[in-house]
Amino acid sequence: MLASRFTRQGANKVVASQAVRSFATEASLKADGAAKIASKSERIKYFKIYRWDPEQSQRPYLSTYPIDLNDCGPMVLDVLIKIKNEQDPTLTFRRSCREGICGSCAMNINGTNTLACLSYIDEDTAKATKIYPLPHMYVVKDLVPDMGNFYEQYRSIEPWLQPGEPKKEGQAEFLQSKEDRAKLDGMYECILCACCSTSCPSYWWNADKYLGPAVLMQAYRWIEDSRDGSTKKRLEELDDAFKLYRCHTIMNCTKVCPKHLNPGKAIANIKKRLAH
């Protein structure tokens, strides 16, 4: 009986010791969690965003919004959506795919034309991030530029296949070799976001006459297509002092392209074709 009593007492001490350790561990975890939450809540970054409403008599201005980076996605587009949903529903911008496919969310972020959905947030909380619409374009509202002139220029190059002869009976497609198809790589991927064109000084000052990098690269995409039968006509349409030759090879277009394409090279190739 005595041995049994001592055994039970020892067991009780072990259980009590485990309970104390468990309580201490739980308290430590709670303290760590509270510390992490406290540290997370301090990651506030400010975003200065261009605002202008044509229905108001106010001049354009920058509006500042605080964002907790620990409660937001990693991209600038996540910031804009969070501001619109939680702070200011009047903020206006374009967006669609969130995957760098549609080109809708093109804007100027910290001085560089890019897509908001592909632009990571600068996590330096000491500096505010500035967001403007694409430069040197008419603004519809806030971060929404008027793309009418840009799309009209794109329409002017007739961006569709113009075969030299009609299909033969039973023909389903206009075929081309793998080598000819490879020549279109680096051009067909363009999403017409206008980041390149609105980074070009020549386009800033001659947007009414100069077609700009994006449209010229798309023009060359059809010039280089082996299935197209209007190559000569397309080149003649571009042989103009303003449409094509306002390009001075500054290469801002290639530097800012969010799809890593090279409009400057395409424009140079058009000039070569005309020279020969």
Side-chain angles (χ1 to χ4, degrees):
M1 291 292 291
L2 184 62
S4 176
R5 185 167 67 248
F6 285 144
T7 302
R8 286 198 299 272
Q9 288 176 348
N12 289 338
K13 288 181 179 179
V14 171
V15 171
S17 177
Q18 290 176 342
V20 170
R21 284 199 301 270
S22 176
F23 178 77
T25 302
E26 184 177 353
S28 176
L29 289 173
K30 286 183 178 179
D32 289 344
K36 288 180 180 178
I37 292 173
S39 64
K40 283 185 177 181
S41 64
E42 296 175 357
R43 293 190 65 212
I44 300 298
K45 184 175 178 65
Y46 292 93
F47 292 82
K48 295 183 177 182
I49 301 177
Y50 177 95
R51 303 299 308 275
W52 180 70
D53 187 344
E55 296 182 358
Q56 305 293 331
S57 57
Q58 193 172 11
R59 297 178 66 181
Y61 62 96
L62 290 179
S63 188
T64 303
Y65 301 93
I67 292 292
D68 180 3
L69 297 186
N70 292 312
D71 188 31
C72 182
M75 302 299 184
V76 172
L77 183 59
D78 294 316
V79 170
L80 295 174
I81 293 173
K82 187 175 180 64
I83 291 172
K84 187 172 182 68
N85 289 343
E86 300 178 7
Q87 297 187 37
D88 187 351
T90 67
L91 178 63
T92 305
F93 55 92
R94 290 191 180 108
R95 55 104 174 179
S96 184
C97 73
R98 299 182 59 139
E99 298 290 341
I101 300 299
C102 69
S104 299
C105 63
M107 56 190 69
N108 186 280
I109 301 172
N110 278 339
T112 300
N113 292 353
T114 186
L115 300 178
C117 64
L118 296 184
S119 179
Y120 282 96
I121 299 169
D122 178 6
E123 296 193 1
D124 182 0
T125 56
K127 296 189 298 184
T129 292
K130 294 182 179 181
I131 306 175
Y132 291 86
L134 291 175
H136 291 269
M137 298 187 81
Y138 291 108
V139 175
V140 178
K141 184 182 178 184
D142 294 343
L143 301 176
V144 179
D146 184 352
M147 302 286 282
N149 180 62
F150 178 79
Y151 290 141
E152 181 60 26
Q153 290 174 323
Y154 180 57
R155 185 206 62 78
S156 73
I157 65 167
E158 300 181 355
W160 55 82
L161 186 67
Q162 300 177 20
E165 55 185 30
K167 287 184 178 180
K168 299 176 182 178
E169 186 177 352
Q171 181 181 355
E173 302 167 331
F174 291 100
L175 302 178
Q176 65 182 164
S177 67
K178 291 182 178 180
E179 292 74 20
D180 285 335
R181 167 59 187 80
K183 293 177 182 179
L184 307 182
D185 289 344
M187 294 186 288
Y188 80 88
E189 300 95 331
C190 174
I191 57 177
L192 297 173
C193 64
C195 282
C196 63
S197 292
T198 54
S199 72
C200 174
S202 294
Y203 192 75
W204 295 347
W205 313 128
N206 302 284
D208 57 332
K209 299 176 182 178
Y210 174 48
L211 293 181
V215 172
L216 287 173
M217 183 168 70
Q218 287 305 298
Y220 186 63
R221 176 254 178 275
W222 293 104
I223 290 170
E224 192 70 356
D225 196 320
S226 61
R227 302 165 297 176
D228 194 83
S230 299
T231 301
K232 183 179 179 182
K233 185 189 84 169
R234 293 183 189 277
L235 287 170
E236 289 173 350
E237 287 289 327
L238 295 177
D239 192 6
D240 179 88
F242 277 93
K243 284 184 180 180
L244 173 65
Y245 291 101
R246 286 299 93 188
C247 171
H248 299 305
T249 326
I250 299 170
M251 300 302 286
N252 280 1
C253 53
T254 300
K255 182 178 179 181
V256 303
C257 177
K259 303 296 284 185
H260 308 293
L261 308 181
N262 192 343
K265 181 180 178 181
I267 296 172
N269 285 332
I270 295 175
K271 292 177 180 178
K272 284 182 183 179
R273 293 288 291 268
L274 287 171
H276 295 127

